[in-house]
Amino acid sequence: MRNEYAADEGLSEVGLAADWHTQFDRWFADAVAAGLPEPNAMVVGTADAAGRVSGRTVLLKGYDPAGFVFFTNYDSRKGVEAAVNPWASLVFPWFAMQRQVVVAGRIERVDRAETEAYFASRPRGSQLGAWASTQSRVIADRATLDAAYRAAAERFAEVEPIPPPPHWGGLRVCPETVEFWQGRASRLHDRLRFRRTDGGDWVVERLAP
């Protein structure tokens, strides 16, 4: 199986934004305008203390110059791994546009106020689901999960708003590198990477495809 990449326009240093978050703004807006399904979907890679890697797709819920934010159960596999090995990678796979963005950096918890503000914006069913699910844990069957959801619904029947569980919250990936990848013909893709230096400044590097 092989698709030939043939983007009309490549990615040049001249056309690149001055900083990674402005460039991400541009490409994210392009992905939304193109009607891609779940344009905020990203693959999150984490590793445990022994370096064994795991990955999964989650939804980006916010970004700014400080980093990229998503929310999860802190007792989930990714939550536990982030606590013991605070390095993560993100990949935005916008293949329909022959683009991807690859991020690497440290991962940290967001403050509780940010978690509470986001949780309040979720549909009530999703709020109850956060209380019902022991994410990443082995459960006996679907009926066990459904029963936990019913129990959560009964517990919070008269509660408005529902608070976030204490074990649930946001994680922010604070980038050390942000790579913008544009597919090109003959597999000679354009790869421009913003990299934070030891002094805290950012430099742009072109990577061989």
Side-chain angles (χ1 to χ4, degrees), residues 10 23 65 74 82 96 98 118-119 128 133 157 165 169:
Q23 183 64 37
Y74 289 144
Q98 302 179 10
Y118 170 70
F119 195 82
L128 294 172
S133 175

Side-chain angles (χ1 to χ4, degrees), residues 13 16-21 23 102 175-180 191-207:
E13 290 83 349
L16 196 70
D19 51 71
W20 69 261
H21 46 90
Q23 183 64 37
V102 183
E176 299 285 328
T177 60
V178 183
E179 177 190 332
F180 294 88
R191 300 174 61 189
L192 295 182
R193 181 177 69 183
F194 289 85
R195 178 175 59 83
R196 186 195 297 272
T197 67
D198 292 340
D201 297 323
W202 288 88
V203 296
V204 175
E205 302 167 319
R206 176 172 286 271
L207 305 179

Side-chain angles (χ1 to χ4, degrees), residues 111-158:
D111 62 49
R112 197 61 183 170
E114 188 172 348
T115 287
E116 291 172 352
Y118 170 70
F119 195 82
S121 74
R122 302 184 94 203
R124 188 174 180 87
S126 297
Q127 293 174 338
L128 294 172
W131 281 96
S133 175
T134 55
Q135 193 176 79
S136 300
R137 305 293 178 85
V138 175
I139 58 176
D141 49 31
R142 175 71 196 200
T144 301
L145 182 61
D146 291 341
Y149 184 88
R150 289 193 298 271
E154 292 174 4
R155 175 182 177 184
F156 294 105
E158 305 298 326

Side-chain angles (χ1 to χ4, degrees), residues 34-59:
L36 299 189
E38 304 277 24
N40 60 325
M42 58 186 184
V43 179
V44 178
T46 56
D48 64 17
R52 290 170 294 201
V53 178
S54 64
R56 75 290 292 159
T57 302
V58 305
L59 297 179

